[in-house]
Amino acid sequence: MDYAAAVTYLLSLGRELAVPTQAAAAKFNLENITILDGRLGHPSRAYPSVHIAGTNGKGSTAAFLESILRHAGLRTGLNTSPHLEKINERIRIDGKEISDEDFAAVFTRIHETIERLLVDGKLRAHPTYFECVTAMAMEHFAQQRVDFAVFEVGLGGRLDATNILAPAVTIITPVDFDHENFLGHSLHEIATEKAGILKPNIPVVVARQLPEAREVILTRAKELGCPVIETNVAYRIHEKPVSARQANSESFAAGAVTATIEEVSSGWTLDISPSLTGHFQVQNALNAVAAARVNAASGFHITDDVIASGISNTVWPGRLEKLQAHPDVYLDGAHNPAAARELAAFLAENFASRKIWFIFGALRDKSVDEVAGWLFPLAIEVVFTEPRTPRAISAPQLAEIAGYHARHSETIADAEKALDHVLANAQPEDAIFICGSLYLVGQLRAYWKNRARVAANPKTP
């Protein structure tokens, strides 16, 4: 099967998530992925791995950790979701997306294995889109003989397809409200799903948590005998002031943070300069540092210099990613209340004296009103739009739901036209933020790159 056919087949399996009204009927368990992994020869266990769950910061933490491991000279695998522009982004070797040819080859192997299992009556139903892509990542990493793999949970944790891993370390980033129709309507329920990735006697790195979520996670860790590294207890962060030279440098991004990390028990310190902007990225980097130090203690050669270099060279698009200056244009996937609070804090600290424009689109299962309450009062104008996905809220409906939070708003359903509108009206000293949905971020990121190509070569079709 060639690449186009492989992608088409995967899409034919249905949406990655059911719509909220289908959640109760959706089949979520580990039966399919366990059977498929077994028939493939257990590629999930062919390499040591780290497994990461949480509400926000999973992807950034995974990216930081993979970068550290790669800078340590290890051959790495990275499996994340969702993707921004192309499905290949979900499966990376040594920081590079899987090629179309390798994608087609590994999908063909997975597809043929599934067909045999169905004929033999070993599977009661065809694996889902996400189960197939997870199996592809595990199989590809095994075929490529990675030294270490980092896996990000897709949804929840306990019943996520990635949860057949036997990880060397688990990480739980901050737990908050999101995907309530799937995971529960209380922090206790949501944290229970996230804590489902914990394994007996396997160390777990736990980021700072809300009290109710913390209690659930620590109780489960105690039941399983997991050594716990609570980052806010085990480490202190001493942020460094930005120098005048840095502040005036074109290369120094607004919101960039440098810090010294100190381990409380030993006094060990490390200076870090995360490549990703925002105070919250220091916390995500700390998650990765803590996990890297666990791996180092178990025998992997991961030096302080390697950790610092990995943190400062991490690439993770779509998260406070700056596309241009004058006016500043940023992409950020803030799509739930906790992420919106972080973005609002970033704006208050770095753009308080600037006029802010939002291009905003959202999916139907998101807490749009709460996200809007944090963000929209900060903007001179909000342009409501919609990403190209069946799960999107229509732009007019979005404006009806959340428009009252904005001082001024426009409704432009076509996302590309919405961006053109804002670029035509914003002043050079203004700042534009594209947010509300990673689907929207990915769509307009691709459009931006195409605009740049056309501008560079107008004769290119």
Side-chain angles (χ1 to χ4, degrees):
M1 193 177 295
D2 65 18
Y3 176 77
V7 173
T8 298
Y9 190 93
L10 281 167
L11 293 174
S12 76
L13 297 176
R15 300 170 193 165
E16 188 158 13
L17 290 176
V19 295
T21 54
Q22 296 173 318
K27 175 180 176 289
F28 293 118
N29 61 42
L30 301 180
E31 180 182 322
N32 273 349
I33 191 68
T34 299
I35 293 170
L36 181 53
D37 183 62
R39 180 61 69 91
L40 291 167
H42 298 288
S44 65
R45 308 200 174 200
Y47 35 77
S49 62
V50 173
H51 197 197
I52 306 173
T55 302
N56 290 307
K58 299 191 300 294
S60 298
T61 295
F64 279 127
L65 182 55
E66 184 278 333
S67 182
I68 291 171
L69 297 171
R70 178 160 34 91
H71 280 78
L74 298 171
R75 184 166 174 78
T76 59
L78 178 62
N79 176 224
T80 58
S81 62
H83 58 273
L84 293 180
E85 299 176 49
K86 191 175 182 181
I87 192 171
N88 304 47
E89 297 168 27
R90 296 175 181 237
I91 304 172
R92 299 174 188 256
I93 300 285
D94 285 339
K96 297 178 181 178
E97 297 172 13
I98 185 173
S99 67
D100 291 356
E101 294 75 17
D102 284 347
F103 188 99
V106 72
F107 174 77
T108 298
R109 172 157 166 69
I110 298 299
H111 176 64
E112 290 173 348
T113 303
I114 289 170
E115 291 298 309
R116 288 195 297 270
L117 287 168
L118 288 169
V119 169
D120 294 344
K122 301 296 185 182
L123 289 175
R124 288 187 290 176
H126 195 291
T128 65
Y129 172 103
F130 186 77
E131 288 169 335
C132 287
V133 177
T134 300
M136 289 171 63
M138 292 173 173
E139 174 69 4
H140 187 60
F141 296 162
Q143 289 178 348
Q144 294 295 312
R145 299 184 181 278
V146 302
D147 299 313
F148 218 112
V150 179
F151 286 83
E152 176 192 2
V153 163
L155 174 67
R158 182 176 65 92
L159 299 178
D160 189 79
T162 58
N163 203 27
I164 61 169
L165 292 166
V169 185
T170 56
I171 302 174
I172 300 185
T173 66
V175 174
D176 214 310
F177 288 97
D178 199 9
H179 296 301
E180 290 94 327
N181 288 295
F182 296 90
L183 304 179
H185 293 272
S186 70
L187 271 181
H188 185 280
E189 290 176 303
I190 295 170
T192 297
E193 294 301 316
K194 309 289 187 184
I197 72 165
L198 272 59
K199 302 294 186 295
N201 306 311
I202 299 301
V204 56
V205 173
V206 181
R208 182 187 293 274
Q209 302 289 343
L210 295 169
E212 188 174 359
R214 177 177 183 265
E215 181 181 358
V216 170
I217 295 165
L218 296 188
T219 297
R220 184 58 177 159
K222 184 177 181 179
E223 292 170 353
L224 295 174
C226 302
V228 175
I229 302 96
E230 287 190 271
T231 57
N232 63 304
V233 175
Y235 295 89
R236 293 192 187 100
I237 295 175
H238 307 282
E239 292 192 5
K240 298 180 179 181
V242 176
S243 69
R245 182 177 179 181
Q246 287 175 317
N248 294 324
S249 169
E250 280 292 327
S251 63
F252 194 80
V257 179
T258 61
T260 298
I261 293 174
E262 177 188 3
E263 188 174 52
V264 174
S265 63
S266 67
W268 171 88
T269 62
L270 180 70
D271 292 336
I272 62 169
S273 300
S275 57
L276 309 182
T277 57
H279 291 282
F280 59 94
Q281 292 295 4
V282 177
Q283 299 290 337
N284 293 331
L286 178 55
N287 297 334
V289 171
R293 283 175 59 76
V294 171
N295 289 331
S298 66
F300 288 91
H301 185 63
I302 304 173
T303 66
D304 291 359
D305 287 346
V306 159
I307 294 174
S309 182
I311 294 296
S312 63
N313 288 285
T314 298
V315 175
W316 193 234
R319 283 73 173 179
L320 281 176
E321 179 185 7
K322 188 175 181 179
L323 298 181
Q324 77 160 35
H326 312 303
D328 290 350
V329 178
Y330 282 85
L331 299 169
D332 191 65
H335 61 277
N336 57 42
R341 289 195 299 271
E342 296 286 5
L343 178 55
F346 175 81
L347 295 174
E349 182 173 356
N350 297 285
F351 293 88
S353 62
R354 313 251 312 259
K355 291 180 179 178
I356 295 170
W357 300 68
F358 283 121
I359 301 171
F360 188 86
L363 305 188
R364 286 193 297 272
D365 62 339
K366 300 302 177 180
S367 302
V368 170
D369 192 57
E370 192 173 350
V371 170
W374 281 102
L375 297 179
F376 292 0
L378 304 175
I380 185 176
E381 181 170 306
V382 177
V383 177
F384 293 104
T385 190
E386 55 195 69
R388 281 191 293 272
T389 170
R391 294 172 56 204
I393 303 176
S394 72
Q397 185 180 10
L398 194 57
E400 184 177 343
I401 294 170
Y404 71 96
H405 288 291
R407 281 181 278 174
H408 186 263
S409 66
E410 294 280 348
T411 301
I412 304 175
D414 184 289
E416 288 80 4
K417 290 180 180 177
L419 176 55
D420 289 339
H421 164 81
V422 174
L423 287 170
N425 288 277
Q427 298 301 306
E429 64 273 14
D430 295 350
I432 301 165
F433 286 81
I434 299 163
C435 63
S437 165
L438 280 172
Y439 288 89
L440 178 66
V441 165
Q443 181 178 327
L444 291 186
R445 190 172 191 269
Y447 176 63
W448 181 270
K449 289 194 294 188
N450 187 60
R451 288 175 88 252
R453 282 193 293 266
V454 171
N457 188 358
K459 295 181 180 179
T460 300

